[in-house]
Amino acid sequence: MAVTLERAQRVGYTCLKALLRFAFMVANNLVAIPSYVLYLIVLQPLRILDSKSFWYIEGVLFKWLLAMVASWGWWAGYTVVEWGDDVKAVSEDEAMVLVNHQATGDVCTLMMCLQDKGTVVRQMMWLMDHIFKYTNFGIVSLIHGDFFIRQGKAHRDQQLVLLRDHLEKYYRSRNRKWIVLFPEGGFLRKRRETSQEFAKKNNLPFLKHVTLPRLGATQVILETLVAPQENGTPSGGDAVRKESKSKGLQWVIDTTIAYPKAEPIDIQTWILGYRQPTVTHVHYRIFPVKDVPAEPEALTNWLYQRFIEKEDLLTHFYETGAFPPPQGQTKAISREMTLSNLWLVAIQSFAFCQEGCGTASFSICTIAYFKNGMGPEDTMGIQALANEYHVVCANVNIQE
């Protein structure tokens, strides 16, 4: 009877916690997302007068929104350990990030682990399935300039044309640096069988932990964003030619996400927190874009090789609980990714206290914050800044 009671208490606690977390997430979305939209509506004159400053502010707000999503997992005990190359070293350069795709939680994991990579989050562009356009976060991604891609042979050619146009129109004009995509074109569980059949017919390796990637989006991104002659391409596309100051795409970051026991976290788990605290492992490998072939057949083989390497990495991880050391080294070094709880609380407080201050007042604060040139290292409180403009906003410290 005691055991049954104890188990019932645990189940009850888990359900109560999940219910409270869900309520918090709903409130979070109902406050933060409309505020983001209203801010940018109010700031439309600035977009006309100073587009660069407008997209800077939008990027910071976007980073804060993604930090809120990251906080849902962080406070549930879903943390990240990083392996391989240190991507902070290239955080100010343009890069394409190739990621394996297992579940909806992959996106949340990236939102978390990229938070401490300088300006990356506010200057990144996502390529995601068009279905995400109809989620609560869809309006934010539309405004930010992410690209929603429709899957399937019937849409493939048209989507690649639209992607090229999108990159040329928005990537440099909004000062984007990193572009994130999932080349497999879908979740592992949905594509594995089809991928294995294709591999068998074409004498390619049999993969269990990843699927063979698709070339289309990767090729378009390289053709459009790589500067002339960086990887043997005679032209980097209009997006490069129009922006002579840009060095173009400099790096390809091969990113591999691994979950303990090959049990990925989905968005429901991330929100409700009913799974026990879990450490997700993320491995990075950086390639100079000049080493990436431009010809379609060579690029296809290069891309296949990256996912064959991912298969080896994941096989080793599932067998040992760790990624293997880099070639020529005897020990792999991991780094625990951390987020500041104070910073996360500050951002959440900033969002929720708008109910008492009003959008117009907060718009003044936001403009004042950036016009005063406050950077990531600045620890001035919102209260002090608000007093300068005779607006009482919040009694929290904030950092970008």
Side-chain angles (χ1 to χ4, degrees):
M1 182 66 180
V3 175
T4 304
L5 179 60
E6 182 180 351
R7 184 174 181 181
Q9 289 175 336
R10 278 202 307 269
V11 171
Y13 171 75
T14 301
C15 292
L16 177 61
K17 183 178 71 170
L19 182 62
L20 292 174
R21 284 177 58 88
F22 181 75
F24 175 76
M25 183 275 298
V26 171
N28 216 175
N29 279 274
L30 290 176
V31 170
I33 293 177
S35 298
Y36 167 89
V37 175
L38 289 173
Y39 274 149
L40 299 182
I41 291 174
V42 171
L43 292 175
Q44 285 304 302
L46 178 63
R47 182 178 180 179
I48 298 171
L49 297 172
D50 187 352
S51 178
K52 184 177 180 180
S53 294
F54 174 85
W55 289 113
Y56 178 90
I57 294 172
E58 183 280 332
V60 174
L61 296 175
F62 183 78
K63 178 177 180 178
W64 290 352
L65 281 178
L66 266 59
M68 292 179 188
V69 176
S71 72
W72 304 342
W74 182 259
W75 288 332
Y78 305 146
T79 58
V80 172
V81 168
E82 298 175 311
W83 303 74
D85 296 333
D86 185 0
V87 297
K88 288 182 180 179
V90 299
S91 63
E92 297 302 317
D93 298 332
E94 291 188 23
M96 175 173 63
V97 184
L98 307 176
V99 192
N100 63 312
H101 209 7
Q102 301 182 59
T104 49
D106 297 342
V107 175
C108 301
T109 297
L110 291 173
M111 288 180 178
M112 176 187 287
C113 66
L114 295 180
Q115 282 290 327
D116 67 343
K117 307 298 186 294
T119 62
V120 164
V121 174
R122 67 176 176 83
Q123 292 183 290
M124 72 195 310
M125 178 182 287
W126 296 77
L127 264 67
M128 58 187 76
D129 192 280
H130 80 287
I131 196 66
F132 284 98
K133 184 188 298 185
Y134 307 106
T135 66
N136 58 319
F137 215 75
I139 183 65
V140 174
S141 292
L142 279 171
I143 294 173
H144 184 70
D146 297 328
F147 184 77
F148 298 94
I149 193 164
R150 188 181 293 272
Q151 304 292 344
K153 292 182 180 179
H155 308 286
R156 192 167 298 163
D157 292 340
Q158 180 193 28
Q159 291 297 297
L160 295 179
V161 172
L162 293 174
L163 173 59
R164 188 185 302 274
D165 292 343
H166 185 87
L167 293 173
E168 291 178 348
K169 186 175 181 180
Y170 298 117
Y171 191 81
R172 297 263 154 63
S173 67
R174 298 186 182 184
N175 195 29
R176 299 298 174 240
K177 294 290 187 182
W178 284 23
I179 184 165
V180 180
L181 69 155
F182 301 91
E184 291 165 294
F187 296 139
L188 173 63
R189 69 179 186 276
K190 293 183 177 181
R191 289 210 62 243
R192 178 159 39 200
E193 185 176 347
T194 303
S195 175
Q196 290 172 347
E197 290 175 358
F198 178 83
K200 186 176 181 180
K201 291 178 182 178
N202 293 273
N203 197 29
L204 294 168
F206 185 86
L207 307 176
K208 295 190 299 181
H209 306 305
V210 294
T211 64
L212 290 170
R214 293 169 175 171
L215 176 66
T218 304
Q219 184 179 15
V220 168
I221 291 168
L222 291 172
E223 289 175 351
T224 309
L225 300 182
V226 174
Q229 302 303 321
E230 278 291 336
N231 67 340
T233 308
S235 170
D238 291 340
V240 171
R241 289 195 294 271
K242 290 177 181 177
E243 180 53 83
S244 58
K245 294 181 181 180
S246 173
K247 295 180 181 179
L249 205 67
Q250 296 289 299
W251 311 99
V252 175
I253 303 174
D254 186 23
T255 304
T256 305
I257 299 176
Y259 299 95
K261 300 180 181 178
E263 297 175 354
I265 296 175
D266 55 27
I267 187 65
Q268 300 96 307
T269 305
W270 194 269
I271 292 170
L272 300 178
Y274 51 77
R275 182 167 165 176
Q276 290 297 311
T278 302
V279 178
T280 302
H281 297 255
V282 181
H283 183 279
Y284 306 104
R285 188 179 178 193
I286 302 174
F287 295 88
V289 77
K290 61 183 177 62
D291 294 341
V292 180
E295 295 299 320
E297 184 176 351
L299 178 58
T300 299
N301 291 333
W302 184 89
L303 200 56
Y304 281 175
Q305 188 58 40
R306 300 289 73 77
F307 277 77
I308 292 170
E309 290 174 1
K310 286 179 183 293
E311 176 77 10
D312 294 338
L313 286 171
L314 290 168
T315 299
H316 188 280
F317 177 84
Y318 295 139
E319 291 175 352
T320 66
F323 284 114
Q327 195 169 19
Q329 299 184 23
T330 57
K331 185 178 179 181
I333 299 175
S334 62
R335 305 173 297 277
E336 186 175 348
M337 183 266 164
T338 59
L339 287 176
S340 167
N341 285 316
L342 179 62
W343 179 50
L344 294 176
V345 169
I347 291 173
Q348 295 285 4
S349 301
F350 182 80
F352 281 104
C353 74
Q354 292 175 80
E355 292 296 320
C357 295
T359 301
S361 299
F362 266 80
S363 296
I364 294 172
C365 282
T366 303
I367 296 170
Y369 177 81
F370 292 105
K371 289 303 180 183
N372 274 277
M374 296 168 68
E377 70 283 356
D378 202 308
T379 57
M380 178 183 287
I382 289 294
Q383 180 72 60
L385 182 60
N387 287 340
E388 182 179 346
Y389 287 84
H390 310 291
V391 179
V392 178
C393 293
N395 189 25
V396 295
N397 291 325
I398 201 87
Q399 69 180 44
E400 193 260 301

